[in-house]
Amino acid sequence: MATQDIVLDTQEHTSTGVDNVKLAMWAFLGSECLFFASLISTYLLYRNDVLSGPTPSEIYDIPFTSVSSFVLLMSSLTMVLALGAIHRKDERQMRVWLLATAVLGMVFIGGQIYEFTTFVEEGMKLDTSTFSSAFFVLTGFHGAHVTVGILLLLTLVMMSLFGRLSPGAERKVEMIGLYWHFVDIVWVVIFTVVYLIPTNG
Amino acid sequence: MNGSPAAKRRLLALLALLAVFAIACDTGPQDFLKSQASVQTQKADSLWDVTFAIAVFIFVVVEGLIIYALIRFRQRPGREAAQFHGNTKVEIILTVIPSLILAGLAVPTVQTIFENSKQPPDALRIQVVAKQFWWEFNYPDLGIVTANELHLPVDQTAYIEITSPTNDVIHSFWVPRLTGAQDAVPGRTNTTVITPTATGQFWGQCKEFCGLSHSRMRLRVFVEDRSTFDQWVADQGEEAAEPTDSLAQQGQELFVNGQCAACHTISGTNAAGTTGPNLTHLMSRRTFAGAIFRMNEGNLRDWVADAPAMKPGSIMPSGLKSMGLSQSDVDAIVAYLLTLE
Amino acid sequence: MATAAHAQKGLFSRPRAKTGWFSWVTTVDHKKIGIMYMFTALFFFIVGGVEALLIRAQLAQPNGQVLSADAYNQVFTMHGLTMIFLVVMPLGSALMNYFVPLMIGARDVAFPRINAFSYWVYLFGGLFLYTSFALGGAPDGGWFGYAPLSTLQTSDGMTFYALGLQILGIASLGGAINFIVTILNMRAPGMTLMRMPVFVWMTLVTSFLLLFAMPVIAVALFQLMFDRVWGANFFDATVGGDPVLWQHLFWLFGHPEVYIMILPAMGIVSDILPTFSGKPIFGYAAIVFAGIAIGFMGWGVWAHHMFSVGLGPVANSAFALSTMFIAVPTGVKIFNWLGTMWGGSIRFKTPLLFAVGFVTMFVIGGLSGVSHAIVPHDGQQTDTYYIVAHFHYVLFGGAVFGLFGGMYYWWPKMFGRHLGEGLGKVHFWLMLIGFNLAFGPMHILGLQGMPRRQDTYPDNMGWNFWNLISTVGAFLIAVSILVFFWNVVRSRTKGEEAGADPWDGRTLEWATASPPPEHNFDVIPHVTHRDDFWHTKYATDEEGEPVKVFAGGSGSDENIDQVHHTGHIHMPDPSFWPVVAAFGLPVLAFGVLYISTPTLVVGGLILLVGLFGWGLEPSAEEH
């Protein structure tokens, strides 16, 4: 054992038995939990302070957002299918599912852009009230996370097309998948806290 | 290397001596090492005395043991290091003892926290509004608004509500011998309780960093016997006297109809601004601009002429440079201010 | 090493220089990165020190004229930011980088390129902060940046603050994840958690603190950024924003941050004391668990920075109690250090002096810390020089002494030559005396009612004498630092050459050459004991007493200098993408600062190109 090649940045024997990259990803997601917890706390503090701007119940289009939330949740399913495909060494099908995941993510982001635009037209901008600031920054940062996820998915697809995904293809897909599922779960929390829990307004 | 611990001991002795010297001389007007002047600070002080005594004891024991160990167990011929990894009994004892000491401190601390926050029913109500970089003091039940100098009757509890305007920043109200710091936070109201036990003049200042002139945001508290305080209340309740001198009348004209009135109030006139201090009884105060300048004609003239030059970050604009006053206008306004007894 | 054979793939081939400046720019070797961290931090230490001297020059006498009020506010803010984010934390990172892999018997950290990226982000973040002096004014709202002063200050300084700290946070987060994975996953065979050196343990705790503290301050800084740059209302009380939100977020980060700075130094001291006492650490498990306990409890004491904010008697009581009881694990550590020296055979080398300096000064800082928990009296102490004295005893008397101890201890390992013992002792005594002269009197000044963050004070307050003494002390510290740098320069040529194990060390870093080869260990050690290296040098007789195994005796040199040619050691190749990606961040920050879309696009592109280059360059195993 002692004189074997030590190759870093790759799957290797580890002290805990957990892959390095996976451990790092879990640590990173732990950090992200605190990030979103801080943003959500801020939102909870300010959600009733709307000043003269529209109140949450006036402005939220719950059916619309429910649909886009459903789209995002479905993308977790396609992500699982992509991972399943690469487990079967079926890169072609994996690309299809990854692409589907990315497209579903893009639909969600499109919905968010539409939502933001509508809100601004209805008189709720970033600087309208503390509620509006907290709303835009919280959901905006989530949107940014989804966008990063889409870029990562598309990168995987491109790498696969150019034959650069292997070695370690499974692990790469699994890591991006972990991130993607995390971002989805955070959205479930945000959707519940922001859209579903009624406010005084 | 035998010299090092000895040198350290000498250093410690020197420091101890210096500390004793410092504690022995009660120097400044904001010193809170001794002579607390309110019920609340006396309680805090007695807690501190106990804590300090315990801390000094622990300090002496621990540092003494370290120095002893360094000397006793220094490397020298024939000395072999004992190979042990720990001693469970000693470790438990040394964990339990500090815990007990701390528990002993915690009980009176919590008691005092609650005692000091009690609001007595017959308290004198005072509102403190902290602004960049001065203090407004309101006595809502007495109809008095003043600045930078607070008057309190001895032996009566004052219940003080502290805030800061929403467009201002955080300040902290602190008069060392009378009360510990309590922050003035925009949009919030905090309270503190002072029961002065001695008459006299007490200094304080803003304690939360608040910008360019944080160090120039001071205040004074005058604790007076009942009759002196009542007289002060009666004087403050009057409207400002009309000026008789012609220069002062000219100054009043400039003040009331000019830009001064936008920010300052002088009761009995049309000047009713609230951004700056209420000047109705300006001359009854010994200091101005955050209690940093003595109240006299020369200082007032310089101030009206160019406040920001005297105090960095002053909200009050320069009379000569920004408000379009001439030097003779300034003289007239100062002549008027000097009549505001 | 493994590099010469593969020059392929054009743009994506990896740089291969092993010497020269380009090898430093592209290195992913944890030891080179550690050295870069160290010298960058020492550079900023000089800068922050000059700022400290400016502060002390201004306050030496009443009505000081050295600095304007505006300049003073910038200088004290930058002094705090520099010392915390650009000196103490990175100096800790420097030693972690260099020694954690060596101490656990690894060949590098888990993610060498992320490690390089963290360093470059740190460097660029620090430089970004300092460009503010030339671009309209440095941050001037205090290192704690309390809103709404931080949103209302008119120069761009506090925007630099929000963006600069955000950048530095990315570096810290990258480092934290790297060390967590490295320590948990890359230990040599037999190196169980409870056999790890205490420094490694404290690095692990520190990394977890960073992992969870950084996102909290990131949110606060983003909110500040949105308020300042895009008119959001998080801290604007005129529309219902609550300035106290900032304080909660800031101190929820800020208090763990204190332990982030002190725990690595505690780890260093816990390794120096056994070495120079010639015996194992007293109560290893207790000292480790005390460190973990501090890490946990550190999350429950943040509001003791806010006793005068008006949280109410219930909250104040709760935080008073938690603050008192965090002193217990701290006390445990101090007793264990004492127990480590007890019964030993103490060698008074410079590293030991600094370690003992740490313990003695930290006791003072710890005791004054407990006195803050006396809430009714904290109303007096808070925001006075008593607090300034307290945290300098913890962070200078504590962390900085510990870090200097670490540098003297490990210098021979890093550079193959000792720092001079004589000069080291001069440095130590000058620094100890200067430190106590500078910060001891601040206790008294605080109790005499002198608040912090004052650009001047009047003549009649009774503060003149001790302020002058304090200034004298500060300049004495500066002299001691000059001695240190002279020692560093001198050691390059005149330093006594150190062998692999100059101090009779106990841990694995001493089992390899000084300086270690790029791959650290020719043979990955098999660990069978805590203080494993010591056990290869000493055997125990029937009574359990250690007996020196002399060179040539059984097993002594098995792990040293013995090259096995049975395997080919792959080390990660250098890469220039980390530095490229890192450079994108300050460019992006300037884009936000000046709301300049072209700059944002350029910064974003640099970052993306860096990251894609990184992702696509051939990784080591493809060769």
Side-chain angles (χ1 to χ4, degrees):
Chain A
M1 144 92 234
T3 53
Q4 275 175 2
D5 288 0
I6 295 294
V7 179
L8 301 137
D9 257 346
T10 57
Q11 267 172 318
E12 255 298 320
H13 167 79
T14 64
S15 310
T16 57
V18 181
D19 172 61
N20 280 350
V21 179
K22 192 183 273 187
L23 190 60
M25 181 56 89
W26 279 111
F28 173 70
L29 296 181
S31 187
E32 289 275 66
C33 283
L34 270 284
F35 183 83
F36 280 106
S38 303
L39 285 170
I40 290 171
S41 308
T42 304
Y43 178 82
L44 287 174
L45 179 68
Y46 285 149
R47 66 200 182 109
N48 292 320
D49 297 334
V50 297
L51 294 182
S52 55
T55 65
S57 50
E58 282 166 18
I59 200 153
Y60 289 154
D61 184 349
I62 307 273
F64 175 82
T65 315
S66 302
V67 171
S68 73
S69 304
F70 181 73
V71 168
L72 193 63
L73 282 182
M74 283 306 101
S75 76
S76 264
L77 180 65
T78 53
M79 189 73 227
V80 172
L81 292 172
L83 188 60
I86 191 67
H87 278 319
R88 296 191 309 272
K89 313 281 179 216
D90 186 348
E91 274 206 36
R92 209 189 65 84
Q93 202 168 44
M94 178 208 71
R95 283 199 295 273
V96 171
W97 288 122
L98 284 181
L99 215 51
T101 312
V103 168
L104 289 172
M106 284 186 245
V107 170
F108 174 82
I109 290 296
Q112 192 171 40
I113 292 170
Y114 169 79
E115 185 189 38
F116 278 20
T117 320
T118 321
F119 286 2
V120 169
E121 279 166 6
E122 289 174 27
M124 188 171 102
K125 300 207 243 333
L126 177 71
D127 58 1
T128 302
S129 62
T130 52
F131 157 70
S132 71
S133 296
F135 170 82
F136 281 119
V137 172
L138 167 60
T139 53
F141 267 113
H142 181 266
H145 276 78
V146 177
T147 309
V148 168
I150 294 168
L151 285 177
L152 291 171
L153 291 168
L154 294 179
T155 309
L156 283 183
V157 173
M158 295 304 285
M159 285 171 83
S160 168
L161 279 176
F162 288 99
R164 300 190 52 96
L165 197 57
S166 296
E170 280 187 49
R171 190 184 51 159
K172 284 171 188 159
V173 177
E174 195 186 342
M175 289 307 112
I176 307 298
L178 258 183
Y179 173 83
W180 189 262
H181 294 315
F182 171 80
V183 172
D184 275 7
I185 291 165
V186 169
W187 180 255
V188 173
V189 177
I190 292 176
F191 182 64
T192 312
V193 169
V194 173
Y195 294 88
L196 298 185
I197 296 178
T199 61
N200 300 345
Chain B
M1 271 331 295
N2 298 356
S4 314
K8 177 170 286 178
R9 230 173 351 183
R10 280 199 296 277
L11 181 71
L12 283 173
L14 180 70
L15 283 176
L17 201 71
L18 291 176
V20 170
F21 167 69
I23 292 165
C25 55
D26 181 11
T27 39
Q30 272 176 211
D31 199 310
F32 57 89
L33 266 179
K34 24 195 259 178
S35 67
Q36 310 304 333
S38 78
V39 173
Q40 291 74 21
T41 49
Q42 280 156 6
K43 277 185 196 155
D45 207 40
S46 50
L47 275 176
W48 161 260
D49 288 344
V50 177
T51 314
F52 186 67
I54 295 173
V56 168
F57 176 74
I58 295 174
F59 171 79
V60 170
V61 169
V62 174
E63 305 283 14
L65 284 172
I66 293 171
I67 291 167
Y68 173 79
L70 287 174
I71 298 169
R72 171 85 174 69
F73 303 113
R74 70 188 185 280
Q75 188 188 36
R76 55 186 188 275
R79 167 125 209 105
E80 281 292 323
Q83 300 296 318
F84 57 88
H85 291 265
N87 183 326
T88 311
K89 205 188 287 175
V90 172
E91 287 176 57
I92 289 174
I93 291 172
L94 289 179
T95 309
V96 170
I97 291 177
S99 307
L100 289 178
I101 293 174
L102 288 166
L105 279 176
V107 174
T109 297
V110 172
Q111 273 174 344
T112 313
I113 291 173
F114 280 91
E115 277 170 24
N116 276 1
S117 63
K118 252 187 262 167
Q119 179 191 5
D122 58 341
L124 172 66
R125 260 181 75 216
I126 295 169
Q127 292 165 346
V128 173
V129 185
K131 303 185 182 184
Q132 278 181 325
F133 300 95
W134 59 282
W135 306 89
E136 181 175 291
F137 300 127
N138 295 318
Y139 296 70
D141 303 328
L142 304 175
I144 295 172
V145 181
T146 184
N148 300 322
E149 294 181 6
L150 183 67
H151 290 251
L152 296 176
V154 72
D155 292 331
Q156 189 190 348
T157 300
Y159 186 74
I160 299 178
E161 298 166 3
I162 302 158
T163 190
S164 170
T166 51
N167 61 355
D168 210 291
V169 303
I170 298 175
H171 304 276
S172 192
F173 178 78
W174 181 49
V175 190
R177 288 178 184 169
L178 294 174
T179 179
Q182 195 59 252
D183 288 359
V185 184
R188 288 184 174 225
T189 301
N190 286 329
T191 58
T192 192
V193 179
I194 302 178
T195 315
T197 54
T199 59
Q201 195 185 132
F202 301 92
W203 290 26
Q205 71 183 95
C206 176
K207 217 184 189 186
E208 190 62 79
F209 178 62
C210 60
L212 270 185
S213 272
H214 170 55
S215 64
R216 284 166 286 275
M217 183 168 169
R218 302 170 165 276
L219 72 141
R220 294 188 186 184
V221 179
F222 297 88
V223 178
E224 295 156 337
D225 59 43
R226 177 49 72 177
S227 61
T228 316
F229 179 74
D230 288 342
Q231 184 59 48
W232 179 79
V233 169
D235 291 345
Q236 296 290 312
E238 289 175 16
E239 290 193 340
E242 280 296 311
T244 49
D245 171 76
S246 72
L247 186 64
Q249 284 170 337
Q250 193 193 331
Q252 183 185 34
E253 181 70 15
L254 281 164
F255 190 104
V256 174
N257 298 324
Q259 295 176 51
C260 307
C263 292
H264 294 285
T265 294
I266 295 177
S267 68
T269 73
N270 292 332
T274 54
T275 307
N278 183 311
L279 302 180
T280 308
H281 297 285
L282 178 67
M283 298 313 291
S284 72
R285 310 203 277 262
R286 300 184 197 191
T287 58
F288 68 96
I292 56 169
F293 301 117
R294 238 178 260 287
M295 188 73 73
N296 60 39
E297 190 177 346
N299 279 344
L300 279 175
R301 184 172 292 121
D302 291 346
W303 180 256
V304 175
D306 195 354
M310 286 177 83
K311 188 175 182 180
S314 165
I315 305 280
M316 173 149 150
S318 164
L320 295 179
K321 291 177 197 157
S322 311
M323 292 194 276
L325 300 175
S326 66
Q327 188 61 49
S328 58
D329 293 341
V330 171
D331 292 342
I333 288 170
V334 171
Y336 172 57
L337 292 180
L338 290 170
T339 68
L340 299 171
E341 297 282 338
Chain C
M1 290 297 93
T3 48
H6 12 77
Q8 88 261 48
K9 286 182 181 149
L11 176 65
F12 292 118
S13 71
R14 300 182 72 146
R16 285 180 305 279
K18 293 287 183 192
T19 53
W21 67 272
F22 197 64
S23 77
W24 290 89
V25 174
T26 59
T27 190
V28 296
D29 178 358
H30 71 100
K31 297 181 290 301
K32 280 190 166 177
I33 292 170
I35 288 172
M36 290 198 289
Y37 260 112
M38 187 170 77
F39 282 105
T40 310
L42 287 173
F43 165 73
F44 281 118
F45 187 53
I46 297 175
V47 176
V50 168
E51 285 158 352
L53 293 181
L54 283 171
I55 293 171
R56 283 319 315 169
Q58 167 80 358
L59 296 179
Q61 293 180 317
N63 303 310
Q65 299 286 329
V66 178
L67 298 169
S68 68
D70 185 29
Y72 183 86
N73 290 349
Q74 295 177 37
V75 167
F76 88 71
T77 302
M78 286 304 286
H79 167 71
L81 292 174
T82 304
M83 288 306 190
I84 291 167
F85 293 100
L86 306 179
V87 178
V88 174
M89 287 172 70
L91 216 44
S93 295
L95 297 176
M96 292 174 192
N97 254 299
Y98 203 107
F99 290 102
V100 164
L102 286 170
M103 287 174 123
I104 60 174
R107 291 233 149 92
D108 204 323
V109 293
F111 305 103
R113 286 180 296 174
I114 292 180
N115 203 19
F117 178 71
S118 293
Y119 167 74
W120 292 109
V121 171
Y122 151 61
L123 176 67
F124 292 145
L127 294 178
F128 171 79
L129 261 182
Y130 267 93
T131 56
S132 62
F133 274 110
L135 297 171
D140 53 359
W143 90 279
F144 59 108
Y146 269 16
L149 184 66
S150 53
T151 57
L152 295 176
Q153 290 287 60
T154 45
S155 82
D156 280 335
M158 292 313 281
T159 314
F160 273 102
Y161 166 93
L163 296 164
L165 292 199
Q166 199 73 270
I167 295 175
L168 294 170
I170 293 169
S172 297
L173 188 62
I177 292 175
N178 221 334
F179 283 115
I180 288 172
V181 176
T182 304
I183 293 171
L184 290 181
N185 260 0
M186 302 188 61
R187 284 165 283 136
M191 177 61 86
T192 60
L193 289 176
M194 292 310 278
R195 284 179 188 162
M196 297 196 306
V198 179
F199 179 63
V200 178
W201 259 113
M202 293 306 113
T203 301
L204 184 63
V205 175
T206 302
S207 300
F208 271 107
L209 286 177
L210 279 168
L211 184 72
F212 295 122
M214 281 299 153
V216 180
I217 190 67
V219 166
L221 292 169
F222 275 130
Q223 291 173 345
L224 178 61
M225 177 185 92
F226 279 105
D227 269 18
R228 281 190 67 91
V229 181
W230 286 291
N233 306 311
F234 288 104
F235 309 118
D236 183 356
T238 56
V239 292
D242 188 354
V244 177
L245 171 66
W246 169 270
Q247 299 187 18
H248 280 298
L249 292 175
F250 185 83
W251 290 118
L252 200 48
F253 146 81
H255 203 81
E257 170 71 16
V258 173
Y259 297 109
I260 288 165
M261 288 188 275
I262 193 73
L263 286 173
M266 287 179 164
I268 293 167
V269 167
S270 306
D271 286 337
I272 291 178
L273 288 179
T275 302
F276 291 94
S277 304
K279 59 192 276 282
I281 189 131
F282 182 91
Y284 172 88
I287 215 163
V288 166
F289 286 121
I292 297 172
I294 289 172
F296 272 104
M297 292 170 80
W299 293 94
V301 296
W302 81 90
H304 72 209
H305 297 267
M306 301 165 63
F307 280 145
S308 62
V309 172
L311 301 178
V314 177
N316 281 354
S317 300
F319 282 99
L321 292 179
S322 63
T323 302
M324 284 180 181
F325 285 98
I326 202 168
V328 174
T330 317
V332 166
K333 281 185 173 264
I334 287 168
F335 289 128
N336 281 313
W337 290 325
L338 184 58
T340 304
M341 293 189 279
W342 205 269
S345 174
I346 302 170
R347 287 176 290 153
F348 285 85
K349 299 288 185 189
T350 309
L352 178 97
L353 292 181
F354 276 98
V356 172
F358 170 100
V359 179
T360 47
M361 294 302 107
F362 186 75
V363 168
I364 301 175
L367 288 171
S368 59
V370 171
S371 74
H372 304 328
I374 313 298
V375 177
H377 200 266
D378 182 72
Q380 303 282 27
Q381 302 160 15
T382 185
D383 278 316
T384 68
Y385 265 85
Y386 187 83
I387 302 290
V388 180
H390 158 72
F391 69 72
H392 279 97
Y393 268 84
V394 174
L395 293 180
F396 192 141
V400 173
F401 270 76
L403 290 165
F404 269 113
M407 283 191 279
Y408 276 97
Y409 180 52
W410 281 316
W411 202 273
K413 179 54 61 183
M414 287 190 273
F415 301 103
R417 285 175 186 272
H418 281 275
L419 288 171
E421 268 293 307
L423 283 175
K425 280 171 182 152
V426 172
H427 170 203
F428 169 75
W429 285 108
L430 277 178
M431 194 157 106
L432 186 75
I433 294 167
F435 168 76
N436 280 292
L437 281 181
F439 299 106
M442 288 184 184
H443 290 112
I444 300 164
L445 283 169
L447 298 175
Q448 286 179 336
M450 180 169 172
R452 304 165 70 173
R453 303 177 180 125
Q454 293 200 92
D455 58 332
T456 59
Y457 55 93
D459 195 13
N460 54 359
M461 306 300 286
W463 301 334
N464 302 1
F465 176 70
W466 290 117
N467 270 306
L468 188 60
I469 296 292
S470 174
T471 301
V472 171
F475 279 86
L476 208 53
I477 296 173
V479 173
S480 78
I481 300 303
L482 289 178
V483 172
F484 170 74
F485 280 107
W486 169 239
N487 204 350
V488 168
V489 172
R490 200 183 150 278
S491 79
R492 272 178 65 89
T493 50
K494 301 218 174 76
E496 184 195 338
E497 284 196 32
D501 180 24
W503 306 119
D504 193 11
R506 312 180 69 84
T507 38
L508 286 179
E509 76 270 31
W510 306 109
T512 183
S514 301
E518 196 200 354
H519 53 282
N520 290 352
F521 300 96
D522 294 331
V523 179
I524 293 293
H526 275 258
V527 178
T528 51
H529 293 83
R530 191 180 298 152
D531 292 342
D532 191 68
F533 179 57
W534 195 81
H535 284 278
T536 64
K537 298 185 290 183
Y538 296 88
T540 42
D541 59 19
E542 290 84 49
E543 272 99 58
E545 290 298 314
V547 183
K548 177 100 178 169
V549 181
F550 292 100
S554 66
S556 68
D557 280 343
E558 203 156 283
N559 293 333
I560 316 171
D561 299 329
Q562 196 178 347
V563 182
H564 287 234
H565 294 287
T566 53
H568 183 59
I569 300 170
H570 270 297
M571 291 305 293
D573 292 325
S575 168
F576 44 79
W577 297 112
V579 64
V580 172
F583 185 70
L585 292 172
V587 178
L588 273 174
F590 277 117
V592 173
L593 184 70
Y594 296 116
I595 319 185
S596 151
T597 313
T599 318
L600 279 171
V601 170
V602 170
L605 280 178
I606 296 174
L607 183 63
L608 276 183
V609 167
L611 292 177
F612 274 95
W614 183 332
L616 293 177
E617 73 182 339
S619 52
E621 76 267 32
E622 283 178 61
H623 300 318

